[in-house]
Amino acid sequence: MANKRVTLVQVAKDAGVSPSTVSHFLNGNFQKMSLGTKDKISLSISKLGYQVNPVAKSLITGRMHTIGLVLSDSTYDGYLEDLYFLHFAQVIKQRLKVLGYKIILLDFEEIFTNVQMVDGIIVKATIETEKFMPKLMDLNLPVITVGRHNLSYGAHVLRVNDYQSGQIGVNHLLSRGYNNLVMLTYPHGQVPGFDDRLNGASDILQQNGKLTTVITGDMTENFGYDTVVHLARTNQLPQALFCLSDICAIGALKACKDLGLSVPEDLAVLGVDDMPTVSELLSLSTIRHPINELAEAASKLMIKSVETKGQHIGPVEEVFPTELMVRRTS
């Protein structure tokens, strides 16, 4: 026998509130609702497995209850290889589901041909996505960028303190006695957040009377691997490699294994991101970026932007701190 569908009334009874209060919560009208009440309703929805009927809700609200998530444009080869942002997508999907919204993964061509399908858009900030931003803002939909573009375009911005990441990383490596450092990053201007990381790292090196040595590339696993192989074969291996992303650092670690290099004795490796599960399993020292907190903030800001009736919400920028995670590789 099929399970009976959980009703709004059952949710209200379990949470100890009125059905109208639950209805207000589901429709985003909770500005005057206490935090305790919102938490009780959210807990009851999750516990009972209540599912919002999106068709019925769209008829009432005039919204599709769907948010478009754009990681990059359709020409990006690593579109589905960015584990960090795929985790972001998973977390935000869970957060929005409770409120009756869903996430669809789109590239820019799909956004402009299917704009009627979404109520808002979340974009990963890269040089590829920036060229579409003026056109995207003309759609008159709420837009949140994860990370910053070179210009704001009037979108909401949620980002980590990338400059701080670079500072923390170099300070850590210098404190361990690694004075000969090489940093791996994107070419300048390709990803603004990576430029901020490099600037933070370079400033600390300069303060300590040291030069900044940088190798640029596409920051893939293969780039990290090939860089270590080249440095080892040309007798240019530094004491430490500061990879400004974990994916690149993973490639560097694989090269060390294949070359028989001891980590961190022959080469220390430090990443940035702290990709969930993967970085910890590899015991990679890294700078943790709070991906769960970013997803939580993005979901709340998007719902507020979509469901605020007749009121324009000015651009919001929120910056999240980073944290050093010292593990085996440094």
Side-chain angles (χ1 to χ4, degrees):
M1 181 181 296
N3 294 330
K4 291 184 178 180
R5 187 180 183 91
V6 176
T7 68
L8 183 147
V9 173
Q10 289 173 298
V11 172
K13 182 177 180 180
D14 185 80
V17 299
S18 68
S20 63
T21 300
V22 176
S23 179
H24 284 308
F25 176 86
L26 293 173
N27 287 299
N29 301 322
F30 42 63
Q31 289 81 2
K32 297 182 180 179
M33 197 178 295
S34 71
L35 180 61
T37 298
K38 287 189 285 187
D39 288 343
K40 286 192 294 184
I41 295 173
S42 179
L43 180 62
S44 294
I45 288 172
S46 299
K47 181 175 70 174
L48 298 177
Y50 177 73
Q51 298 290 323
V52 177
N53 185 325
V55 176
K57 192 173 181 182
S58 65
L59 292 174
I60 296 171
T61 64
R63 293 186 288 269
M64 296 305 298
H65 299 92
T66 301
I67 306 301
L69 179 61
V70 183
L71 299 188
S72 189
D73 73 9
S74 58
T75 65
Y76 179 54
D77 293 336
Y79 187 66
L80 293 178
E81 296 179 5
D82 193 334
L83 298 179
Y84 183 81
F85 273 89
L86 287 181
H87 179 79
F88 173 86
Q90 180 184 26
V91 174
I92 199 169
K93 175 184 176 182
Q94 295 168 347
R95 300 292 190 270
L96 291 175
K97 183 179 179 181
V98 172
L99 298 176
Y101 279 75
K102 62 183 178 182
I103 281 283
I104 57 173
L105 192 64
L106 299 171
D107 61 34
F108 267 101
E109 291 181 3
E110 294 168 330
I111 278 288
F112 296 118
T113 57
N114 297 282
V115 63
Q116 72 280 0
M117 295 173 53
V118 300
D119 301 307
I121 300 167
I122 300 173
V123 180
K124 177 186 175 184
T126 68
I127 192 171
E128 290 92 355
T129 62
E130 180 155 23
K131 62 187 177 184
F132 292 96
M133 286 301 293
K135 185 178 178 181
L136 194 62
M137 297 306 297
D138 286 341
L139 297 177
N140 198 29
L141 291 173
V143 176
I144 296 174
T145 69
V146 180
R148 71 172 183 88
H149 288 114
N150 288 300
L151 300 176
S152 68
Y153 303 101
H156 301 307
V157 178
L158 300 178
R159 63 182 180 87
V160 298
N161 192 333
D162 284 299
Y163 182 84
Q164 181 191 51
S165 295
Q167 290 183 307
I168 291 174
V170 169
N171 274 326
H172 166 66
L173 293 173
L174 292 178
S175 72
R176 292 297 178 95
Y178 304 120
N179 293 305
N180 180 11
L181 315 179
V182 169
M183 287 178 285
L184 272 56
T185 187
Y186 284 106
H188 179 74
Q190 187 164 331
V191 183
F194 278 74
D195 292 343
D196 293 340
R197 296 176 195 182
L198 180 59
N199 288 337
S202 298
D203 285 349
I204 296 299
L205 287 169
Q206 185 177 18
Q207 290 170 21
N208 284 272
K210 301 183 183 302
L211 297 176
T212 300
T213 303
V214 182
I215 300 175
T216 61
D218 59 10
M219 294 304 285
T220 60
E221 185 176 328
N222 285 339
F223 171 63
Y225 184 95
D226 292 342
T227 298
V228 170
V229 170
H230 173 74
L231 290 173
R233 289 177 177 173
T234 56
N235 295 317
Q236 299 180 75
L237 206 64
Q239 292 176 296
L241 202 63
F242 187 9
C243 304
L244 300 190
S245 79
D246 282 358
I247 293 175
C248 184
I250 289 169
L253 290 178
K254 187 174 186 297
C256 289
K257 180 180 178 182
D258 290 348
L259 294 171
L261 297 174
S262 179
V263 178
E265 290 78 13
D266 295 327
L267 179 66
V269 178
L270 179 67
V272 177
D273 282 337
D274 198 24
M275 290 195 307
T277 305
V278 177
S279 299
E280 188 171 359
L281 284 175
L282 293 175
S283 196
L284 173 66
S285 293
T286 187
I287 312 300
R288 172 177 286 176
H289 286 187
I291 192 69
N292 289 351
E293 289 84 349
L294 273 169
E296 180 75 31
S299 62
K300 290 180 178 178
L301 180 57
M302 180 56 73
I303 294 300
K304 181 179 180 181
S305 299
V306 168
E307 300 195 346
T308 299
K309 299 175 181 177
Q311 297 180 12
H312 173 71
I313 300 177
V316 172
E317 180 169 7
E318 187 171 357
V319 182
F320 294 78
T322 61
E323 178 185 5
L324 174 66
M325 306 300 297
V326 181
R327 300 190 179 108
R328 183 183 61 82
T329 65
S330 66

